[in-house]
Each structure stands twice: as C-alpha cells, then as structure tokens.
Amino acid sequence: MALTGVKGFNDILPDESSRWHYIEQTARKVFELNGFGEIRVPIMEKTELFCRSIGDATDIVEKEMYTFTDKGENSVTLRPEGTAGVMRAFIEHKLYAQDPIAKLYYMGPMFRYERPQKGRYRQFHQIGAEITGVHDPLADAQVLNMLTIFFREIGLTEPTLQINSLGCPECRPSYRATLQAFLNERSSQLCDDCNRRLVTNPLRALDCKIPGCSAATVGAPSVLEHLCNSCNDHFSSVRRYLDLSATPYSINSRMVRGLDYYTRTTFEMVTGLLGSQSAVAAGGRYDGLISQLGGPAIPGIGFAMGLERIALLLGAKEFTSQPDLFIATIGAGERDVAFRLMDGLLKVGVRVEMDYEGKSLKSQMRRADKLKSLYSVVIGGNEAVSGRASFKRMADGLQTDVALTVTDIHALVRKSEQ
Ligand code: HAM
C-alpha cells in the first residue's frame, strides 16, 4: 500500500502555492512599507520557552504541543506559534542594544496537535509581525492599520476587526477574582474543562463553545469595566487613533486569547465564512513577555495570520501564472528553432511553453488552450526559413505577423500587457 502523509499535515500543490505566493508577497510588500524586516527563527525550540511564554494552563501547552525528548535527553517542541521564538531571538541577539524599537515579521509552519477540520490543521502556516519597544498606543494602531491594509490589498473585505483590552497585572487580578466569583456561582452549568480552569484560567469560560458555558456566562462581568485608569486611557487612545485613520472595528469585550502573555490590547480579524474557525488573524500587546523570558523590560505588540485560512477565503480567485506564448512545431527540424527561441525568451522573462514530445499539431494546440497561453505560434518549414510567423492571440484569435526574434516577440508580449 502506498504511504500517505501524516494526518493534519498537508501538501501544498502548485495550483495552491501560487495563491500562497500572492498572500506572502502582499504581506512582504505591506510589512516592508511599514518598516518591518524579516526574521527567520527555527521551527523547534526548548519546550520551556513555550511553557514560560504561552502559559502552562493554556490549551496549547496542556494538550497541543508536539514535544519530544531528543537523543541528547533535551525536551524540545515544534513551535506552536511564532512570537515566543522571535522574542527569544530578540533577547539572545540583544537586538534591543542599539534601539529597543524593532519591527520584525516572519512566516512559516507552526504545529499544534488539534483535531483537524476545515481551516484547522496540525501543521499550519502563520505570517506574523511584531513591534517591540513602544508603550504608546500609536504602535497598537499602526499594527491594526497594517493588518487592515493587508486584507484590503489582498482583496478581502470580509474579515472584520474586533478589539478588546485584557488589562494589565495591576487590574487583571481583580477582574479575574470578580469573574471567578461569578463563575463559581454557576459552576454546575460549566463544562469539566471550564470547571477545572476556574482557578488557573477562568477567562477561558467566556470563550468556551459548549452551550452550557455560553449560557452560564451571559451577563458575566466585562473586562472593560474593570480596567485601571492607565489601561482605560490606553484603550481609549487606541480607539481614537483607529478613528483618526478611519479603520473600521468593533469592540468585543468577551474576546479571550488562548495565550497567557497578553496585556492590554488584544484583537482578532474574524470571518463568518469558515465555520467555527472564525479567526483569520489575531494578536495583541505583550508588555511583560520579554522580561518574563529573561530580557529587559521592553513592551511588544503583534499579530499572526493563518495562511491556510486566508487561502480558503481567497478560494474562488485564480492565481496560476499562464504562459505568454506557446510554441507549436510541425516537424522535428523546427524543434531546434523553437527550443532556441524559447531559451532566448525565457532569459528575458517571457513565459514560454513548447511541445516536449513531438505530438500532433492538434494536441499541441489543445495543450496551449489548457495552459491558457496568451499567444500561440506555429513554426513549420516556411516559418523557420523566412524567420517570420503569425502569432495568434488566444482570447480572440487575432493574428499578427511577427519576426521570430526575441526582441520582437518580447515587445509583442509587453505591449499586450499594457
Ligand atoms: P493565535 O490566535 O494562536 O495567535 O494564532 C493566530 C492565527 O493562526 C489564528 O487566528 C489562525 O488564523 C491561525 N491558526 C491558529 N491555529 C491554527 C490551526 N490549527 N490551523 C490553521 N490555522 C491556525 C498566535 O499564534 C500569536 N502568536 C499571535 C501573536 C503575534 N500575538 C502577538 N504577536
């Protein structure tokens, strides 16, 4: 029996990867315009890094990590997200030494042992961006605007921005206690997981999809009503900046993130088109993370988008690049002429395909159609001798007489692109 891949780990085939390139290229363009530079960190880190950053009482650390002991008896983990590794590298290489403000982006595979379904995989890909060193809400707004611009550039209007504030170490404990008291009174309605996390992570109950928990948390105290003055001012300023830049958003005070490092602003880009996997991108501020990992007290904020989810939303559009020209040949002798022409055209950036196998003219033309080539040309004995041929524009059959030279064909293709 032929071997198959591992469950939840997908192959990205050429048709699909052209859509991925489009997403990645658009992200690079938008991020670099905003002054972000790419950082590439390993896909595996010491397990402790994720326990200390994401948090021991989160689903990710409790149940979803690909953790194993390597041959040197070290516990290592395939990264379930990007922020922890990027901040580890930021500290390890003292990127803050010259300037605490670093704008970093990354893309690559992440691994979580979740139950696979549409939009949720065990190996998935994130494109993320992080800014360090800025306490000011201006950084929050820049990150949110960049995310909004990215989705606009890519042609998706559907995911909408929701924001919340989770407070800080000053005000969150009292909110947690208030919420805990509220949930304790309703513990009989909560699921086992929420009951178990009543002490360690009570906020998760607000996000639990189990009907009993949703019902029990109706009317739960809102985090936004328990913010200290300074968190409240921060959140108001973020909103003011978003209004100044006409960035659309809504407030979702029940938004809870599945990672413990967040402080203050958190956000998600959500869609109704992917069933229960509604978050296409998500992030927030993590002012305590860098010092928690042994670095200086430098704040940070960022987000990560799920590449597979964006690709699903783009679904209907086509991104495969079609050839500019298909060269069909009649006899074996003309194949040398065609090959040299193809080689010359490829060298100047014209996308060319030709017949590889000496097929009939009819079947060559069928292939030109199938590849959706912009032009086709048939080279027979006459064309090879005269050095001129009739170029057919495939969309409408218009024929143009062109010299069989790289320069003239290049010019014809470029002209039709304008
Ligand atoms: P996250 O919410 O865990 O945040 O993941 C961010 C995005 O990754 C999600 O919104 C979703 O689009 C995608 N994603 C997560 N899990 C899966 C999965 N199993 N299959 C497919 N896509 C998935 C973080 O990871 C934070 N590091 C974001 C961040 C950056 N916060 C600050 N900076």
Side-chain angles (χ1 to χ4, degrees):
M1 203 171 67
L3 279 177
T4 56
V6 177
K7 184 175 173 191
F9 286 62
N10 300 317
D11 300 309
I12 309 300
L13 304 178
D15 266 358
E16 176 74 4
S17 59
S18 54
R19 203 177 323 165
W20 283 46
H21 291 163
Y22 172 65
I23 299 169
E24 288 163 355
Q25 279 157 12
T26 309
R28 285 183 197 283
K29 191 176 87 187
V30 173
F31 294 180
E32 283 169 18
L33 186 76
N34 278 270
F36 285 72
E38 185 176 7
I39 181 163
R40 299 188 187 206
V41 291
I43 60 161
M44 199 168 76
E45 298 277 354
K46 292 179 182 161
T47 303
E48 189 193 347
L49 173 69
F50 301 116
C51 301
R52 270 169 62 178
S53 52
I54 299 170
D56 283 322
T58 57
D59 276 354
I60 296 179
V61 172
E62 270 186 357
K63 315 186 222 176
E64 296 170 1
M65 296 210 301
Y66 279 88
T67 296
F68 60 96
T69 309
D70 71 8
K71 290 200 165 65
E73 297 297 311
N74 309 297
S75 178
V76 288
T77 295
L78 294 182
R79 61 182 184 190
E81 59 105 50
T83 313
V86 170
M87 290 307 130
R88 193 263 315 133
F90 175 80
I91 299 165
E92 190 170 335
H93 302 287
K94 296 196 172 52
L95 295 188
Y96 50 83
Q98 299 287 329
D99 183 357
I101 302 179
K103 295 182 184 177
L104 306 166
Y105 78 86
Y106 51 91
M107 37 185 83
M110 310 288 158
F111 306 86
R112 296 184 193 174
Y113 193 82
E114 293 192 83
R115 199 166 45 77
Q117 54 175 245
K118 184 179 169 194
R120 188 167 71 194
Y121 312 102
R122 290 183 174 168
Q123 175 179 278
F124 60 99
H125 295 74
Q126 285 187 343
I127 303 182
E130 318 282 352
I131 303 190
T132 60
V134 188
H135 283 286
D136 199 279
L138 203 80
D140 309 38
Q142 186 180 8
V143 160
L144 291 168
N145 287 355
M146 189 165 90
L147 196 55
T148 307
I149 289 167
F150 166 81
F151 281 102
R152 201 181 58 208
E153 283 276 304
I154 210 152
L156 289 175
T157 47
E158 208 282 334
T160 52
L161 175 63
Q162 296 189 348
I163 61 169
N164 192 20
S165 173
L166 292 180
C168 67
E170 288 287 305
C171 52
R172 201 179 316 160
S174 79
Y175 171 64
R176 254 176 79 121
T178 312
L179 182 65
Q180 240 158 13
F182 175 90
L183 294 172
N184 268 328
E185 283 172 20
R186 292 157 180 82
S187 66
S188 60
Q189 290 165 262
L190 299 177
C191 72
D192 290 349
D193 253 3
C194 286
N195 260 310
R196 191 171 49 79
R197 286 190 299 219
L198 257 180
V199 180
T200 52
N201 203 351
L203 272 72
R204 291 302 303 185
L206 297 176
D207 193 37
C208 183
K209 304 285 182 296
I210 300 204
C213 299
S214 308
T217 55
V218 172
S222 158
V223 64
L224 294 178
E225 280 155 22
H226 291 78
L227 296 180
C228 60
N229 287 341
S230 138
C231 286
N232 208 13
D233 288 350
H234 187 96
F235 195 52
S236 304
S237 297
V238 173
R239 290 164 50 193
R240 198 173 57 79
Y241 281 126
L242 291 178
D243 292 339
L244 273 180
S245 49
T247 300
Y249 67 91
S250 61
I251 294 175
N252 176 3
S253 63
R254 289 175 67 97
M255 183 199 303
V256 173
R257 305 279 302 118
L259 305 100
D260 278 357
Y261 49 63
Y262 290 115
T263 51
R264 296 193 161 171
T265 318
T266 52
F267 51 89
E268 288 185 352
M269 289 295 268
V270 295
T271 173
L273 301 176
L274 294 179
S276 57
Q277 306 315 308
S278 57
V280 185
R285 193 168 257 288
Y286 44 86
D287 291 347
L289 177 62
I290 296 172
S291 57
Q292 217 171 295
L293 293 176
I298 293 177
I301 178 165
F303 63 79
M305 323 191 263
L307 233 163
E308 285 83 353
R309 293 186 188 177
I310 299 171
L312 278 169
L313 289 180
L314 284 175
K317 296 195 184 171
E318 213 177 295
F319 297 96
T320 352
S321 50
Q322 308 123 294
D324 297 308
L325 175 65
F326 187 92
I327 309 177
T329 49
I330 293 179
E334 284 85 56
R335 280 163 64 79
D336 284 3
V337 178
F339 176 73
R340 260 194 294 130
L341 196 57
M342 176 170 85
D343 182 56
L345 286 167
L346 286 171
K347 284 177 177 146
V348 296
V350 177
R351 284 166 297 190
V352 189
E353 291 280 342
M354 67 174 275
D355 169 54
Y356 291 114
E357 296 158 296
K359 290 246 170 88
S360 72
L361 187 57
K362 201 167 154 202
S363 107
Q364 293 184 57
M365 294 318 288
R366 260 204 308 269
R367 182 143 181 270
D369 260 337
K370 195 169 145 209
L371 293 173
K372 300 196 176 106
S373 184
L374 188 62
Y375 284 96
S376 67
V377 64
V378 180
I379 305 183
N382 288 346
E383 286 80 6
V385 171
S386 70
R388 298 195 73 84
S390 190
F391 279 68
K392 182 168 139 194
R393 195 162 66 191
M394 300 291 279
D396 56 5
L398 183 83
Q399 310 253 351
T400 315
D401 179 63
V402 180
L404 289 173
T405 64
V406 169
T407 321
D408 284 22
I409 300 170
H410 192 192
L412 174 76
V413 168
R414 289 294 156 265
K415 206 168 126 207
S416 68
E417 279 175 355
Q418 285 156 11

